[in-house]
Amino acid sequence: MKCLLIASESAEVLFYWTDPEFQQNIQQQYGSSQEEGQGLPAFEDSISTLFAPIIISCSTMVDRLGDSYTSFTTENNHIYVLHQFDECLYIAVNGDGEEGEDALRRKIYVMKKMIEVRFGMVTLSSNLLRRELRPQDTEQRARLWKHLQGLLETYSHLRENDQSFLVEAVERLIHPTLCEQCIEFLERRLVQQLNSSAERAGEEVLHAFILVHTKLLAFYSSRNASSLATSDLLALIIMAQNMYPSNVDQDDPGPEDVESTSGSGPESFYTPEPSPTDRDSSSSDNLERVSSPMFEFMDPDVQMAEDSLQALEVPPPDPSTPRRVFLEISGKDGLYPMMPHSLYCLPLWPGITLVLLTKIPTSAVALSVYKFLEAFAKLEKCLNGGQEGSAAARGQLAIHDIRSKLDKFIKALGPSELQSAQLLNVWTEFKNQAFARGGTGFNKDLIPWCKNMKTQLCGIYRQCFLIDSGPGDFPQRLSPRLQERAQTMAQEKLMDWKDFLLVKSKRNITMVSYLEDFPGLIHFICVDRSTGQMIAPSLSTTERTTSELGKGPVAQFIKNKVWSLVSTTRNFLRKGYSTVTLRDGDFYFCYFLWFENEMGYKLEAGDIPLLPDDSAPIGMLAWDYYSRKLLRYYSKNHQGEVVRCYELLTVHLGVIPTEIILQHCRQLASKLWEPSRNPLL
Amino acid sequence: MHGPCTGLFGQCLVPPVDSSFDAAIGFQSRARSGSTSQALLNRASRCSYFFLYDGSKVKGEGDRTREGICYFYPEETPVDKQELLCGQLAGVGRCVSELSSSPVRILRLRRNKYAIRMEGHFFWALGCSADVPIASVCERLDQLIDLFCFYSDSVRQSYQLNSQETLSARWAQYFLHLQPGSSELHRIFSCLRTIDSTNVDPLLLLKAALILQACQRCPLVLAGCILFRGRVVSTQMSPELTMKVMVHESETYAKAQSSSSSLDAAVSSITVFLTTSELQYLQSAPVHKDLSSHSTPHRDAPQKKTRLSRTLSEMASTESDSSDLGPPQSPHKMSFSPCLSESDNSVFSPAPSQSTADPLNPPPQSPEPPFSNGRHSPEAEEEEALDESCYQSFHSNGGGDSQVHHEGGGSAFDERSSLNGGDGDAARDFRVGDSGNEESHDDEDDGAAVGNREGGCGSAQGDQGEDPLPPYGGFENPEESPRIPMMLYLHRVKGLVLALLTDPRFLSDEASMEEVYHSSLASLNGLEAHLGTVPPVPPGAPGAPGPYIFAHFDCIQSTLTTNLSGRPGGAPEHPFVRATSLLHSHFCNTKTLQEAIIRSAGAAVYGTRSVAHETYFQQHGGSLRNSGIPNHQDSAFSLPGKARHRLLKHGVNLL
């Protein structure tokens, strides 16, 4: 019983995702309320009708009370979480007890992050985003929604099963020699060759990395690239996983697997919804489940409607076409969010992927558009604030600054295009209003023009980076031949390691190696928040693979404990508690968060910002709490010093004396990040 | 405060005798001056909205939302805003509950959160600021509705029988009563306010318990509690029921203060409505559960009439010779057996051996307080004189049924008494079912009967709501399950109040009433005199910053022991209170959690819980300075040891 819905203020559904149970529930309700009717409307219509009162009430509350709903909980523990980003209202629902309010809110923020990565600055204009999320063309809409639904499902699966997505930090494969070799390979051979090739069509490889399932084997950034934010890297891993889902069933080469390769065990393995790029379109999966005998209200008409939606699936695009992604870069003069890149995911073998991120030739346009947008946003804020004095003057100054630049920018775009002609018109009108004698000058009347300018700029951005070039044109990309070569090179390099890597990714580090030094320790997770990386022993809970925790239920129990511990400690962290120990049943849990400077010297614990209940979730994927909030807050007292932030979670047997447990924690904390032990970079 | 509230509380403008009582009962005196209205504002900021909306009155297109608003707090809210909130919240609540086929329980906004109850067309919402734990808000809303039903029976019926103003005044009264009074900690645990037992001679507590037991000699008396200045001295009822009784007590206190002759109000009674589970819980007193295990199925008729008391002394004697005397009757049989009213004389004549053997339960004829032992303080003498006159006024106060100053809820009660036949029937049906059950015990295994009773008891305890999201399955749906009318009898001696829940027939049974009155009067006087001499603890004094702070919550009795003072230190922003609130809700959410230590930059707090208790401890001083990295020499981790050691002297054993 899960659902995620994005709606505009006028209660138009911009996107939805539901699991089969929720869909069935909705259709049953609709059926019972419309028994006399002419059959059921399309699912999209019923969901829109049922949620409309909530959406409308939401905007009424915002308009008249200046407050908005954040969540509902019902007697039977259905949870609804609501969050409004600009004019888009996100609603996430859970009715099966698997997700709490925090998890739902996190899901909403992750969805927003994925939309930002997909649409970039177009998200800054609600008007454009609405059209982008809900294309008029039903075929296009079906394809887009399918893609986004796939991303959401992949994320949910990873969050529930992958420790690195639990704590939202990247996990590396711990194999120093191989790691080093691969980095060298990426740097000296792969990236160099690609960037010196004539077939790169003006693109430049900035980052190249190799993923084994969700774990990072090697990561290389070219010299003139800015560093890739953890948030973006995690989002890219989700995208790669969505394109080439690692099917645990097939590629687990554990020794026990040999006799059961048929894979028809009692356990059901997750297979994410195939993304549009997948050739086999088994996308009628949802439909099949819906038409199970349990569903009595099934009507042939619905079947038709749903079928027609499914049938609109177009042949998948050329796999060598890169995905446009919008990522943050840190330039000389600050951070620039949502700058266009091209993403190439080249599958080496099932489970192992080479990922290339390139800079596209026109990316300078995005930088300019962002600067202009920022100036207009600043001006609007000043004018809105009602201060027509010094603050307004500052906003005015920003416009004066960009005036000539914007003139040049428009000229360079060339007035032939409809979009740039519109921009020119609006800009001319803006200048008349703002600077000419007969105009309004810098006051509140200028606000609509600011808004209009922003929309026009987003439109330009959309045109440059989101619209595919016409069918006749060659798409902007590294040539397929070049991509193929990169793929082959990487395959050659890793051929001998392939099987090892697939096993290693399942058992990156294991508790066995710690048992002797840390008797009574059951599990731990250590995270370096400054680099966004984590280390944890593998937690395998499938029936067939035996870990140190035992098989099936026991391992599953401990896994559940670890998952709930993480959400508990986040709750305490949100309220300002950075040390937590809990005695829970037969276990003793510890959580520590601390700061060090660059030399590894422990810094004194300081105040931690208190967050409201409905703030963005603590983590690094959707919003980097640690660098954007915690470290900024903490660094105020440590000016000019590089502050690093670490977290350690441990699970011990409850019978171990607390003193010993704390000694273990201390040893783990100092040992794990020793450079000699884990050369992480 | 404006509107009906003023009418209700306007009469209590006389300054109360005792300032600590003033603080304890909270609302009556708060409306007095400008400075206290500030306090009211502060409180209001915590609980910002409370309303009851009746959707059945707004059906057609033309109906205005305001028609459906039954009560809205704060009452001075502009009607537009009232309509907006009621309309939107009720509407969105309806929509969500249709989607999920289950009523909405919690509704959060960015700045406020609301506990919601939806029943039939009624929609209740209680809104608090975002920092209050949601479990507490839900619990308080349930208490509010429960309180209303306790005094007025069904909500729907009340609104049919009474004017909206009358009922609004009641909501206002209950709402203000449940507003956090003295300290934030009390609010977190929503516990009963008890007298500070560390300052009171334990013997007095025992005496209070014995007075209550003596009252139960009358079979019509179900259970009772003794309150002193708005705090519980001793109670035989569940914490929830005690809390409900206390509301009426504080109301009569206000009346007693305002009326010129407080004597009229010395004894009063009112009809209250109990749920079946509450009644069962009262009837399955632990004493009987214990005894029924070795009860003999055959009892003599004469014994039924004489062995009616449940005092400890008698229990002892019962146990010693249970083979021939048999156990006392089960309470419901006692209270409902129709022959009892005829045999009044025997009801109050204890066995001769006991009247002499038990010095604490003297024959009721003796007016002398048994425990004053001849050492009369001047005040005590004064009181006795007073009581004498009180006694007389009691008797001269007209004869017959109107002997007791009856203050049933106006027309509600009148209607009810006119409907008495029907109600009586319902009640009788219940009794018949029960007694049938009782008889079947005789044939069946006794263990099963005990199990039955324990089941009832368990469901009553389930209401205490350990769960952060107490479903109201456990608690009686006021619209559906019929409540059983009972009498709440109050006997006030200055600050001391004896409150008894009795069978409705108790009111018409003059003899029983007189017996109860006389048997307890002297003891109450004595108890009042002794409790009165205990110096009221000046607020803030015990909270003088000691080396540590602790709070010890008894989940069963719903009582709190703490050395954190009521006011300045108990503010919600106090680190200890914040940590305690957080840990408490975490304990509620995680059943397997036994202990926890959490540390922020400013404070480290240790919390531990067992089945019956939750204890929180914070050590002051010592260097909290640390790097946050795990370190076994860290002072935070020595908290459990320190708590064990330090709290022993407060009677808290954490071993």
Side-chain angles (χ1 to χ4, degrees):
Chain A
M1 277 286 283
K2 301 183 182 78
C3 168
L4 191 135
L5 177 81
I6 307 177
S8 71
E9 278 182 329
S10 52
E12 187 183 25
V13 174
L14 300 182
F15 168 75
Y16 74 84
W17 167 85
T18 63
D19 65 352
E21 290 79 23
F22 192 88
Q23 188 169 356
Q24 198 169 319
N25 181 43
I26 291 283
Q27 279 168 336
Q28 271 175 10
Q29 279 194 20
Y30 222 87
S32 60
S33 66
Q34 293 220 330
E35 270 168 303
E36 303 297 310
Q38 302 288 312
L40 295 171
F43 182 68
E44 188 195 321
D45 291 339
S46 15
I47 203 171
S48 142
T49 313
L50 285 170
F51 276 94
I54 302 180
I55 298 161
I56 288 164
S57 176
C58 227
S59 43
T60 311
M61 291 297 273
V62 173
D63 289 347
R64 295 195 48 198
L65 215 59
D67 206 345
S68 56
Y69 302 119
T70 60
S71 77
F72 310 121
T73 311
T74 63
E75 291 286 322
N76 57 358
N77 256 324
H78 287 204
I79 303 174
Y80 295 65
V81 171
L82 300 92
H83 199 101
Q84 186 138 12
F85 294 105
D86 292 325
E87 284 163 34
C88 293
L89 177 68
Y90 288 59
I91 304 178
V93 186
N94 181 287
D96 53 21
E98 283 172 18
E99 297 159 302
E101 224 180 290
D102 270 359
L104 290 176
R105 189 159 291 123
R106 190 174 296 274
K107 210 183 206 174
I108 286 177
Y109 272 86
V110 169
M111 192 66 219
K112 182 183 174 246
K113 167 78 187 181
M114 298 318 285
I115 287 177
E116 274 173 5
V117 170
R118 180 77 166 64
F119 297 107
M121 274 178 238
V122 170
T123 55
L124 298 180
S125 159
S126 311
N127 223 349
L128 290 181
L129 178 63
R130 208 163 59 218
R131 268 186 274 160
E132 214 51 55
L133 276 175
R134 191 190 164 86
Q136 283 302 307
D137 181 19
T138 41
E139 178 186 323
Q140 229 182 325
R141 192 192 308 166
R143 197 170 45 197
L144 173 68
W145 285 8
K146 203 92 203 138
H147 173 60
L148 292 176
Q149 285 164 353
L151 285 176
L152 195 60
E153 282 175 12
T154 304
Y155 162 72
S156 301
H157 173 69
L158 291 176
R159 202 202 72 82
E160 282 157 27
N161 295 288
D162 199 304
Q163 293 185 81
S164 72
F165 280 87
L166 169 69
V167 296
E168 296 185 359
V170 178
E171 185 172 1
R172 284 178 163 272
L173 278 184
I174 309 292
H175 194 293
T177 5
L178 182 58
C179 178
E180 215 167 301
Q181 282 181 31
C182 287
I183 292 174
E184 203 181 307
F185 160 76
L186 292 177
E187 179 186 1
R188 301 270 163 79
R189 297 185 46 207
L190 192 87
V191 174
Q192 213 168 47
Q193 277 209 24
L194 292 177
N195 281 348
S196 57
S197 162
E199 294 172 47
R200 65 191 170 100
E203 297 200 2
E204 181 192 346
V205 179
L206 295 178
H207 307 278
F209 53 93
I210 301 170
L211 288 175
V212 185
H213 295 306
T214 56
K215 297 183 179 66
L216 202 55
L217 170 63
F219 186 99
Y220 169 74
S221 294
S222 80
R223 243 164 281 276
N224 44 359
S226 84
S227 64
L228 188 63
T230 307
S231 164
D232 288 338
L233 182 52
L234 287 167
L236 294 177
I237 295 177
I238 293 177
M239 293 182 79
Q241 273 288 308
N242 187 43
M243 277 185 239
Y244 304 104
S246 22
N247 194 330
V248 188
D249 205 12
Q250 280 163 16
D251 53 28
D252 190 340
E256 311 95 297
D257 286 339
V258 182
E259 77 272 25
S260 64
T261 34
S262 61
S264 55
E267 69 277 54
S268 63
F269 286 97
Y270 168 83
T271 316
E273 200 98 324
S275 66
T277 48
D278 268 359
R279 292 217 180 269
D280 65 321
S281 92
S282 59
S283 46
S284 53
D285 192 32
N286 274 358
L287 197 69
E288 275 160 23
R289 286 204 236 174
V290 167
S291 54
S292 64
M294 259 184 71
F295 185 58
E296 294 165 45
F297 297 97
M298 181 49 92
D299 187 295
D301 287 346
V302 197
Q303 192 95 40
M304 286 284 290
E306 293 286 307
D307 277 344
S308 60
L309 196 69
Q310 305 290 344
L312 292 173
E313 198 88 2
V314 284
D318 183 0
S320 66
T321 309
R323 287 215 171 275
R324 179 60 37 82
V325 290
F326 298 93
L327 309 172
E328 181 186 276
I329 62 165
S330 46
K332 299 173 292 285
D333 42 353
L335 291 178
Y336 292 98
M338 303 185 274
M339 290 298 142
H341 292 75
S342 280
L343 169 73
Y344 299 83
C345 284
L346 309 174
L348 303 181
W349 294 279
I352 305 181
T353 315
L354 171 69
V355 182
L356 302 174
L357 265 182
T358 62
K359 179 178 155 185
I360 58 172
T362 50
S363 63
V365 175
L367 208 71
S368 309
V369 170
Y370 179 72
K371 282 180 181 160
F372 299 142
L373 275 173
E374 212 182 17
F376 283 106
K378 200 190 264 175
L379 177 64
E380 192 188 330
K381 203 172 150 200
C382 294
L383 297 175
N384 248 334
Q387 318 131 314
E388 304 200 356
S390 62
R394 252 181 285 134
Q396 216 167 324
L397 213 63
I399 296 297
H400 280 295
D401 271 358
I402 60 158
R403 187 175 173 177
S404 60
K405 282 185 201 156
L406 188 52
D407 282 335
K408 266 187 233 156
F409 177 77
I410 294 173
K411 201 177 279 173
L413 281 175
S416 58
E417 295 266 8
L418 178 69
Q419 188 65 51
S420 41
Q422 273 181 2
L423 174 65
L424 182 61
N425 285 343
V426 175
W427 172 233
T428 314
E429 194 55 42
F430 180 92
K431 282 190 289 190
N432 283 341
Q433 291 291 329
F435 304 115
R437 281 186 185 279
T440 57
F442 283 90
N443 58 33
K444 273 193 193 291
D445 295 338
L446 206 56
I447 292 175
W449 291 103
C450 280
K451 285 194 202 298
N452 204 345
M453 272 309 289
K454 277 160 60 186
T455 310
Q456 293 306 327
L457 284 166
C458 287
I460 289 289
Y461 179 94
R462 175 176 170 275
Q463 191 183 28
C464 291
F465 305 112
L466 275 180
I467 295 185
D468 303 325
S469 33
D473 298 346
F474 258 124
Q476 164 67 46
R477 64 179 181 196
L478 300 176
S479 77
R481 230 162 50 112
L482 197 58
Q483 292 182 41
E484 218 166 277
R485 205 159 80 221
Q487 199 172 358
T488 321
M489 278 168 73
Q491 274 170 339
E492 277 165 9
K493 169 75 197 163
L494 290 173
M495 185 51 102
D496 298 340
W497 295 94
K498 170 193 152 205
D499 291 336
F500 167 78
L501 284 174
L502 289 173
V503 177
K504 179 71 179 167
S505 78
K506 292 264 175 288
R507 301 172 177 219
N508 194 13
I509 58 171
T510 54
M511 271 309 295
V512 178
S513 38
Y514 293 88
L515 287 183
E516 214 162 288
D517 293 340
F518 302 98
L521 180 65
I522 293 173
H523 191 69
F524 68 85
I525 302 178
C526 203
V527 194
D528 177 350
R529 289 299 178 185
S530 328
T531 58
Q533 299 188 2
M534 56 88 74
I535 299 179
S538 58
L539 259 183
S540 179
T541 55
T542 54
E543 288 281 337
R544 286 169 301 143
T545 51
T546 317
S547 63
E548 294 72 38
L549 299 175
K551 276 188 170 191
V554 179
Q556 187 64 44
F557 179 78
I558 290 170
K559 186 196 142 189
N560 291 345
K561 281 286 177 199
V562 170
W563 255 249
S564 78
L565 174 65
V566 169
S567 83
T568 302
T569 55
R570 278 175 178 154
N571 276 339
F572 282 117
L573 191 59
R574 189 188 288 280
K575 300 293 172 206
Y577 299 93
S578 56
T579 305
V580 177
T581 69
L582 306 166
R583 183 181 297 282
D584 185 350
D586 295 329
F587 301 102
Y588 197 90
F589 300 109
C590 298
Y591 169 79
F592 299 93
L593 179 143
W594 72 95
F595 300 97
E596 294 180 8
N597 69 9
E598 220 170 359
M599 310 301 292
Y601 179 76
K602 316 278 179 289
L603 300 172
E604 203 169 73
D607 277 326
I608 282 176
L610 304 183
L611 302 180
D613 286 338
D614 64 326
S615 65
I618 289 183
M620 299 186 99
L621 170 54
W623 177 67
D624 192 342
Y625 162 79
Y626 296 92
S627 67
R628 291 285 150 81
K629 189 84 190 181
L630 188 60
L631 282 171
R632 252 179 222 182
Y633 191 90
Y634 186 82
S635 301
K636 272 190 279 181
N637 301 323
H638 296 267
Q639 299 272 325
E641 206 173 354
V642 176
V643 180
R644 302 187 157 274
C645 173
Y646 295 91
E647 286 180 300
L648 174 70
L649 284 119
T650 62
V651 182
H652 277 83
L653 286 176
V655 290
I656 310 293
T658 323
E659 271 207 3
I660 307 284
I661 292 177
L662 293 167
Q663 268 171 18
H664 284 176
C665 293
R666 187 173 182 80
Q667 282 168 20
L668 274 174
S670 49
K671 214 169 178 178
L672 278 171
W673 300 109
E674 269 172 22
S676 59
R677 200 176 155 91
N678 284 312
L680 287 176
L681 280 168
Chain B
M1 289 198 301
H2 303 287
C5 259
T6 328
L8 191 71
F9 303 120
Q11 33 186 305
C12 55
L13 300 186
V14 181
V17 188
D18 189 306
S19 63
S20 76
F21 188 23
D22 171 23
I25 60 168
F27 66 88
Q28 291 95 339
S29 51
R30 289 286 162 86
R32 270 183 304 166
S33 64
S35 67
T36 45
S37 72
Q38 187 56 42
L40 197 71
L41 266 179
N42 285 341
R43 261 194 332 230
S45 71
R46 254 179 256 150
C47 243
S48 38
Y49 294 107
F50 168 60
F51 62 81
L52 168 59
Y53 179 75
D54 181 358
S56 67
K57 296 204 180 129
V58 189
K59 277 180 181 155
E61 284 289 319
D63 294 338
R64 290 185 305 173
T65 312
R66 64 192 64 178
E67 312 288 335
I69 302 176
C70 297
Y71 176 69
F72 198 100
Y73 172 91
E75 288 167 37
E76 59 270 22
T77 312
V79 181
D80 278 358
K81 193 172 179 189
Q82 291 188 16
E83 283 193 323
L84 176 68
L85 273 173
C86 289
Q88 294 300 324
L89 296 196
V92 93
R94 172 78 51 85
C95 179
V96 170
S97 54
E98 269 169 20
L99 263 171
S100 287
S101 8
S102 166
V104 174
R105 185 70 177 131
I106 300 163
L107 195 155
R108 283 179 216 255
L109 288 120
R110 256 184 303 135
R111 288 199 290 268
N112 286 308
K113 51 180 141 198
Y114 289 84
I116 305 288
R117 269 284 282 279
M118 296 170 71
E119 255 154 48
H121 288 286
F122 284 120
F123 183 93
W124 284 269
L126 177 64
C128 281
S129 66
D131 56 324
V132 184
I134 190 66
S136 311
V137 190
C138 287
E139 203 172 338
R140 212 177 316 158
L141 178 63
D142 288 346
Q143 283 178 347
L144 254 171
I145 299 170
D146 227 19
L147 257 179
F148 186 90
C149 295
F150 181 71
Y151 288 109
S152 311
D153 200 7
S154 136
V155 180
R156 173 65 64 199
Q157 206 172 8
S158 302
Y159 272 92
Q160 281 160 358
L161 298 176
N162 294 284
S163 73
Q164 189 151 322
E165 285 69 35
T166 317
L167 296 175
S168 293
R170 277 190 217 168
W171 284 117
Q173 178 197 356
Y174 305 143
F175 178 72
L176 287 173
H177 182 84
L178 288 180
Q179 284 285 34
S182 51
S183 94
E184 204 66 18
L185 281 175
H186 281 80
R187 193 175 55 74
I188 293 167
F189 297 106
S190 57
C191 51
L192 289 176
R193 275 192 289 268
T194 53
I195 56 164
D196 185 1
S197 54
T198 50
N199 280 344
V200 173
D201 185 353
L203 210 58
L204 292 178
L205 300 179
L206 180 64
K207 277 169 187 165
L210 288 172
I211 294 173
L212 292 175
Q213 284 173 356
C215 291
Q216 280 181 320
R217 284 166 185 272
C218 170
L220 296 174
V221 173
L222 287 176
C225 66
I226 291 182
L227 311 169
F228 184 67
R229 292 176 178 163
R231 289 173 181 271
V232 179
V233 180
S234 178
T235 180
Q236 296 174 316
M237 299 180 266
S238 66
E240 296 79 28
L241 212 47
T242 311
M243 184 276 295
K244 291 183 212 171
V245 167
M246 285 173 79
V247 175
H248 183 59
E249 187 274 330
S250 51
E251 190 191 359
T252 59
Y253 175 80
K255 292 217 171 113
Q257 290 295 314
S258 60
S259 64
S260 49
S261 64
S262 61
L263 306 176
D264 294 345
V267 172
S268 64
S269 71
I270 185 175
T271 309
V272 295
F273 301 88
L274 268 67
T275 62
T276 45
S277 64
E278 279 171 341
L279 197 61
Q280 273 167 356
Y281 179 68
L282 285 180
Q283 287 164 346
S284 62
V287 171
H288 291 277
K289 274 195 276 180
D290 292 340
L291 288 175
S292 61
S293 58
H294 49 90
S295 68
T296 49
H298 305 288
R299 297 163 192 164
D300 310 358
Q303 277 178 357
K304 273 186 185 171
K305 283 184 182 172
T306 51
R307 306 288 299 175
L308 289 167
S309 162
R310 289 191 288 173
T311 61
L312 285 168
S313 54
E314 275 176 308
M315 264 167 48
S317 71
T318 307
E319 264 170 340
S320 61
D321 50 9
S322 62
S323 54
D324 49 36
L325 276 175
Q329 305 303 303
S330 74
H332 43 256
K333 216 168 205 180
M334 296 188 313
S335 46
F336 292 125
S337 73
C339 62
L340 279 171
S341 46
E342 283 119 48
S343 58
D344 283 326
N345 294 339
S346 61
V347 166
F348 280 103
S349 53
S353 62
Q354 269 133 27
S355 64
T356 51
D358 185 3
L360 291 176
N361 275 313
Q365 286 78 18
S366 154
E368 188 182 293
F371 39 79
S372 56
N373 289 336
R375 183 188 57 83
H376 286 254
S377 63
E379 296 131 46
E381 264 167 357
E382 217 176 271
E383 269 150 39
E384 253 178 67
L386 233 154
D387 288 328
E388 199 59 30
S389 62
C390 173
Y391 176 72
Q392 275 160 13
S393 81
F394 180 74
H395 277 267
S396 58
N397 200 5
D401 290 344
S402 62
Q403 191 179 44
V404 169
H405 172 72
H406 185 89
E407 40 168 344
S411 59
F413 185 76
D414 295 341
E415 283 285 346
R416 184 141 292 285
S417 47
S418 73
L419 292 169
N420 227 0
D423 282 330
D425 275 345
R428 211 167 298 135
D429 288 346
F430 169 70
R431 278 172 237 152
V432 168
D434 231 44
S435 62
N437 203 9
E438 184 73 296
E439 270 155 37
S440 68
H441 294 170
D442 295 349
D443 303 322
E444 282 166 24
D445 187 3
D446 273 332
V450 173
N452 267 349
R453 286 189 195 144
E454 276 169 351
C457 176
S459 75
Q461 276 178 328
D463 293 352
Q464 289 177 350
E466 287 247 325
D467 201 276
L469 234 185
Y472 47 73
F475 112 61
E476 300 295 319
N477 184 338
E479 293 305 302
E480 280 166 20
S481 72
R483 287 173 171 255
I484 301 109
M486 288 284 147
M487 294 309 296
L488 173 62
Y489 164 95
L490 285 190
H491 180 180
R492 174 179 297 281
V493 178
K494 290 190 175 175
L496 189 76
V497 168
L498 167 72
L500 299 174
L501 277 175
T502 70
D503 188 275
R505 282 167 298 155
F506 182 68
L507 198 64
S508 51
D509 188 343
E510 279 174 56
S512 299
M513 266 181 78
E514 272 185 49
E515 283 292 346
V516 167
Y517 179 83
H518 290 299
S519 66
S520 55
L521 179 61
S523 321
L524 288 175
N525 275 321
L527 187 59
E528 201 280 332
H530 278 79
L531 287 174
T533 57
V534 175
V537 187
Y548 58 90
I549 308 176
F550 81 98
H552 178 70
F553 175 60
D554 184 321
C555 324
I556 308 291
Q557 295 179 54
S558 194
T559 56
L560 181 73
T561 321
T562 177
N563 66 346
L564 187 66
S565 69
R567 246 149 296 165
E573 62 274 12
H574 191 285
F576 179 74
V577 176
R578 272 190 48 223
T580 302
S581 157
L582 207 56
L583 280 174
H584 173 64
S585 44
H586 193 55
F587 275 130
C588 289
N589 287 330
T590 320
K591 299 286 176 207
T592 47
L593 189 62
Q594 296 146 32
E595 51 175 38
I597 300 168
I598 55 174
R599 177 174 52 199
S600 62
V605 174
Y606 166 68
T608 178
R609 74 115 167 253
S610 63
V611 183
H613 304 286
E614 278 175 40
T615 310
Y616 301 90
F617 182 83
Q618 181 192 345
Q619 176 86 31
H620 280 312
S623 77
L624 265 171
R625 289 291 144 219
N626 63 80
S627 65
I629 195 163
N631 179 0
H632 61 281
Q633 286 166 338
D634 199 327
S635 62
F637 303 111
S638 61
L639 281 176
K642 282 188 185 133
R644 243 167 257 148
H645 175 70
R646 299 270 197 186
L647 297 187
L648 268 181
K649 75 167 178 231
H650 297 276
V652 175
N653 188 352
L654 293 179
L655 295 176

